Amino acid sequence: MVNEVESSKHKLPEGDRTIAVVAMPADTNPSGDIFGGWILSQMDIAGGVAASRLAQGRTATIGVKEMEFHKPVRVGDLVSCYTQIQKIGTSSITVKIEAWTTNHYNPGGPVKVTEGVFTHVAIDENRKPRPVNKS
Ligand SMILES: CC(C)(COP(=O)(O)OP(=O)(O)OC[C@H]1O[C@@H](n2cnc3c(N)ncnc32)[C@H](O)[C@@H]1OP(=O)(O)O)[C@@H](O)C(=O)NCCC(=O)NCCS
């Protein structure tokens, strides 16, 4: 587990570890590193999980901001997405997401590779915004 990695010189992830997935060769860009769009989609999945849990139902992503790619992700890295609810609006839920990697073959992490702020909207069966229960 990432949080069990003993490290005095590395910062540790902030938020709840919402998803974790191993980066595979099929996810690479032409240079052999992991494609940024794949990382972004993992973060979107994690944000959707956190938002839908809170909204107790379906949500859709409406916006992504403050995306920063700090470090490359490599094949075989375990990518963990950590989520923190930043703001709950009427129908919107804003989630800060950090992606961190560890690699059992190359210990020394965890390394923060990417972060961003995703906004999800709670929607009803007609795909229209619905209020989020804040209680
Ligand atoms: C999500 C969707 C139903 C929202 O409908 P809408 O009529 O555009 O929504 P509204 O203008 O009423 O705004 C809804 C909320 O989103 C917020 N919002 C709107 N645009 C935003 C943006 N660019 N960034 C962040 N929040 C935004 C609004 O402030 C509002 O928040 P609040 O209810 O908490 O006050 C519609 O935009 C949609 O279907 N978009 C496509 C979603 C999609 O396909 N996503 C990718 C796959 S999940």
Side-chain angles (χ1 to χ4, degrees):
M1 295 285 289
V2 169
N3 280 325
E4 291 167 4
V5 176
E6 195 275 318
S7 171
S8 55
K9 56 181 187 283
H10 297 283
K11 273 190 71 183
L12 289 174
E14 290 184 8
D16 297 327
R17 190 178 189 232
T18 306
I19 67 162
V21 60
V22 175
M24 302 294 275
D27 307 319
T28 53
N29 63 23
S31 309
D33 289 326
I34 296 301
F35 180 49
W38 179 85
I39 302 166
L40 195 148
S41 82
Q42 301 310 313
M43 295 168 74
D44 189 25
I45 291 168
V49 168
S52 295
R53 187 186 294 144
L54 194 146
Q56 298 181 337
R58 188 171 174 180
T59 61
T61 311
I62 195 164
V64 180
K65 61 182 183 180
E66 296 169 32
M67 271 301 295
E68 284 186 69
F69 293 89
H70 300 296
K71 304 271 184 197
V73 176
R74 303 211 157 80
V75 171
D77 284 349
L78 178 64
V79 180
S80 299
C81 295
Y82 291 80
T83 60
Q84 293 175 80
I85 303 296
Q86 246 186 7
K87 183 180 158 206
I88 304 172
T90 302
S91 68
S92 67
I93 299 166
T94 303
V95 189
K96 171 78 193 296
I97 307 178
E98 297 181 356
W100 290 70
T101 56
T102 52
N103 192 313
H104 299 306
Y105 302 101
N106 184 19
V111 176
K112 181 159 76 172
V113 290
T114 310
E115 63 190 309
V117 175
F118 289 61
T119 301
H120 304 262
V121 175
I123 54 173
D124 63 19
E125 61 277 10
N126 299 312
R127 298 190 174 83
K128 299 294 179 206
R130 66 176 169 88
V132 180
N133 185 353
K134 295 184 188 178
S135 62

